[in-house]
Structure formats: C-alpha cells, structure tokens
Amino acid sequence: MDGLTKGLNDVVIEGGDGRYGECEKLDERSRSSWAQVVSGDHDNQHRRPSQRRKQEHGKENNDGWETLGRKPRRRPHKVHKDHWQGYKRLPNEQQYADEVGTGTSIEPSEEELSDLSQACNRLWQLDLNRLEPEKDYQIDCGEEKKVHQKGDMAEDSLFYSLSEDIFRRPTFSRFCALLDNYNPNVGCKEVVTIEEIQEQTAFIEEISRTAPIKYLYMYLSFKGIVSENYQDFKRMLTKLWFDLYGRGGTSGSSSAFEHVFVGEIKQCGGEEVTGFHNWLQFYQEEAKGRVDYQGYILPRRRGETPDSETQLLTIQFQWNGVLKAVSTTLIGVSPEFEIALYTLCFFGGEKDNHVQLGPYSVNIKCYRFGDKISSVFPIA
C-alpha cells in the first residue's frame, strides 16, 4: 500500500531520464481490454470456493488422485454491451441517465462544511449506487498474511460472483469503458484518441447527474473553491482526473485516473505496482487471470477479521506477476462516490485525512503534484 511500505516512493512524480526499457515490454500482457471480456461458466460462477476447489484447482487422474495446479481462474459473466456503442458518439449525441433524486436535501450543513469527516460520511450516505455484499457480489477473503510474508494465503480468487446487472448501471459501465485506455508502464507516453476523450467527457457528464457529485459541487462552491457554474465544475473534474502529466521522467505519461484507479507498473529499481486502488479494475483483471489475490492484511491497529460483508479491505496481490505488497480498497462503492470522496479530500483536506465512512474509520492519504493529484487512496 502506498504510504505504508515505501511512503512517497510509490506515489511522487519521478524525475530522471526515465530509462525503463522498452515501453511495450508489458503491453501485451498488461493493458486491459474490456472488449475481450467473454462468457464464462455461469453455474460454476455461483459455487462457493469450497464447492469448486476440486473441480477447478486440479484435474483428477484416472487413479482418482487429484493433481494440484495453479490457482483457479474465475471466468467472468458474459456482459451484454450492445448499448455501449452509444458511448462512442459525441458527448452531445449520447443518452444519459435521468438526474438522480435522493428524497432529501443534498446541500451540505454547516457542520459538514466545518468538519471534513462529516462531509465524507455524508458522501457515504449519498452513495445510492453502492452494492450490497452477498446480494450484488460475493468475495472470499482467504487467510491473513503479513506484509513481507511470502507465499499465497488465498486458495481462491477474491471475487467469485458479481451480478451482471451491475454493468448495466450507467456510471459503472462508463467507468469500465475507460479502463482499457492506458499503457500501465510508468514512463511511457500515453496516446489519447478522440474516442477516449469522448469517453472521458461522457463519464464526467454521467456521474455529474448523481447525488455524490452534486454534493461535491455544492460543498466546493460554498467554500469558494469552484465557481457556481456547473459546466465549469465539470470541466474542472475532467482536467483534474484526466489531464496528463509526467511520471517516471516522461511528460504525458500518467494521469490521476490512470494511477489511482487503473494502476501502473514501475520498473526502475525492480518492478513494482503503484496505484491500483479500485475494486472494479481488480475484479476485471482478476477475471482475465492477470491478478493473483494472495490474502488480506490487518491494519497496524488490529481491526476485526474481514469477512464476506467487509467493504474496506487491505490486501496483497500480484498484477501481471508484479507484486503490490499492500493496497487498501473500498469494495462495492460506486465510481461517482470514489471520484467525489477523493476530490473532496484533495481540495478540502491535507496529506492525511482521518474520516468516517459509515462503519469504517479511514485515513484518505492524498499526495499532490502542484494542482494535480499524484495519488490518493484509503488506509484502514
């Protein structure tokens, strides 16, 4: 986890010559491709790990003995994406969801304006799209391990089911459409296409219709941080999260969205995963066999042992064979909630932001690079 193991090494903007070898070295095996998600074994998808270990974890020989192999690869649901072609249109030609009503005022209170923790907790309450554990998805936390403990303490994948209806939710599907837009290798200049710019604009437009983003806008406008023009606010969000900057000695090689949500692989001084704090990206990459979940890590101040209903989890995993020693992830939250939470802490907080999110006490760690987000992530 950035900040717990190597502090700023994972998250600061790096200088130097940026000599990391060939930029395409990991591209074929690392770069996501949402269009490649294919249908899986639907029945096997819903079996508990204990019910499918023998079937998937090994192959049975004729003599009845089981040959153990690699951890089973959980295959994803077939995601019907016919309507996703509409996302490739110009922003003013796309169809968006209706404005979300909450049945209550979204205006921040005086207490929330003076207390960042209360404001963040209000965002948690306004996350109407947050998933329900055991109903919308199921996870298997596996076994506990220490940060520097070698070996895989999880027999199975972290996710073993996720309702395919999730990918029909506008903000979720638009978020997933962005995940294949990046080269994960630090120091490699990004090539941004017109289509990708349209996807970025459409994503911001979609989430701007939700309660967490509307609350963020009102909070920042009351504080005088943004103007009262909502279109200006949306342009600010687009620039904050998608404008490219230099990381690893190469200009235009990274962005806040890529680092925080998609993840990057740093090759200087040994390969290392940085960023990568989003559960949807984890689910997708695990489904493709690119992520190997290796177990959970309890916080320094030992908390309760996580279970299938935990929505704040500190984990260790490998991505394309490269280790992420510690990473805390909010599981099941919506894309609009995370954008709102991290933007709120960037403008309204400090480097360390100890806040309450529903039942969870969290430190939102925020690193800046001038007026840009270098990295932002939760610590349990």
Side-chain angles (χ1 to χ4, degrees), residues 257-325:
F257 186 91
E258 176 185 6
H259 182 85
V260 173
F261 297 118
V262 181
E264 297 178 287
I265 297 177
K266 183 171 62 176
Q267 301 177 46
C268 182
E271 290 187 329
E272 183 179 11
V273 174
T274 65
F276 200 138
H277 298 287
N278 178 258
W279 73 271
L280 276 166
Q281 167 71 345
F282 191 101
Y283 169 85
Q284 178 177 324
E285 292 297 279
E286 188 177 54
K288 295 174 184 176
R290 295 171 181 165
V291 158
D292 179 12
Y293 172 63
Q294 300 196 342
Y296 68 85
I297 298 168
L298 288 178
R300 290 177 180 175
R301 298 178 180 177
R302 293 181 66 87
E304 296 181 0
T305 300
D307 57 27
S308 59
E309 296 191 357
T310 299
Q311 293 195 279
L312 179 70
L313 189 63
T314 302
I315 60 178
Q316 184 174 106
F317 63 91
Q318 287 187 347
W319 184 31
N320 295 291
V322 182
L323 183 67
K324 179 74 173 182

Side-chain angles (χ1 to χ4, degrees), residues 8-79:
L8 291 176
N9 289 340
D10 284 7
V11 295
V12 296
I13 304 300
E14 300 170 323
D17 296 330
R19 296 177 181 175
Y20 296 96
E22 296 181 3
C23 289
E24 301 302 322
K25 177 182 176 184
L26 298 173
D27 196 40
E28 288 300 316
R29 62 190 177 96
S30 297
R31 188 172 175 116
S32 303
S33 178
W34 183 248
Q36 293 175 354
V37 176
V38 295
S39 60
D41 184 346
H42 188 274
D43 292 334
N44 194 48
Q45 188 82 341
H46 292 283
R47 292 191 177 100
R48 291 279 182 172
S50 59
Q51 294 175 303
R52 60 189 171 86
R53 277 177 188 143
K54 185 170 182 178
Q55 178 179 342
E56 292 183 321
H57 198 56
K59 295 181 179 179
E60 190 170 298
N61 296 326
N62 292 333
D63 58 6
W65 288 91
E66 187 182 78
T67 303
L68 295 181
R70 297 180 61 188
K71 179 184 295 188
R73 173 180 172 183
R74 185 197 53 71
R75 301 184 68 190
H77 292 288
K78 181 177 180 181
V79 180

Side-chain angles (χ1 to χ4, degrees), residues 166-226:
I166 301 308
F167 299 104
R168 297 191 180 97
R169 299 187 184 187
T171 60
F172 282 76
S173 56
R174 289 190 187 275
F175 178 87
C176 289
L178 295 167
L179 296 177
D180 65 349
N181 291 351
Y182 299 95
N183 185 315
N185 302 298
V186 170
C188 290
K189 192 176 182 67
E190 294 290 345
V191 177
V192 183
T193 67
I194 295 297
E195 181 179 290
E196 289 171 353
I197 293 174
Q198 292 172 355
E199 288 176 349
Q200 294 169 8
T201 304
F203 170 70
I204 295 298
E205 175 61 35
E206 195 73 72
I207 65 174
S208 71
R209 297 162 179 265
T210 65
I213 299 299
K214 288 180 177 294
Y215 178 88
L216 171 69
Y217 160 72
M218 297 187 74
Y219 182 98
L220 296 181
S221 62
F222 285 176
K223 288 275 191 175
I225 297 172
V226 300

Side-chain angles (χ1 to χ4, degrees), residues 86-144:
Y87 295 176
K88 301 182 184 301
R89 301 172 187 160
L90 293 172
N92 61 355
E93 296 176 353
Q94 300 203 27
Q95 295 182 352
Y96 298 102
D98 294 334
E99 299 282 341
V100 175
T102 64
T104 183
S105 174
I106 301 179
E107 184 174 311
S109 67
E110 290 295 330
E111 292 78 11
E112 291 162 4
L113 289 169
S114 61
D115 185 343
L116 183 66
S117 180
Q118 290 194 43
C120 292
N121 197 45
R122 181 73 183 284
L123 281 176
W124 178 270
Q125 296 167 2
L126 290 172
D127 188 14
L128 307 180
N129 254 340
R130 185 170 63 251
L131 306 190
E132 185 177 336
E134 296 286 356
K135 176 184 176 183
D136 298 316
Y137 67 90
Q138 294 176 308
I139 61 173
D140 180 9
C141 296
E143 300 295 329
E144 178 189 359

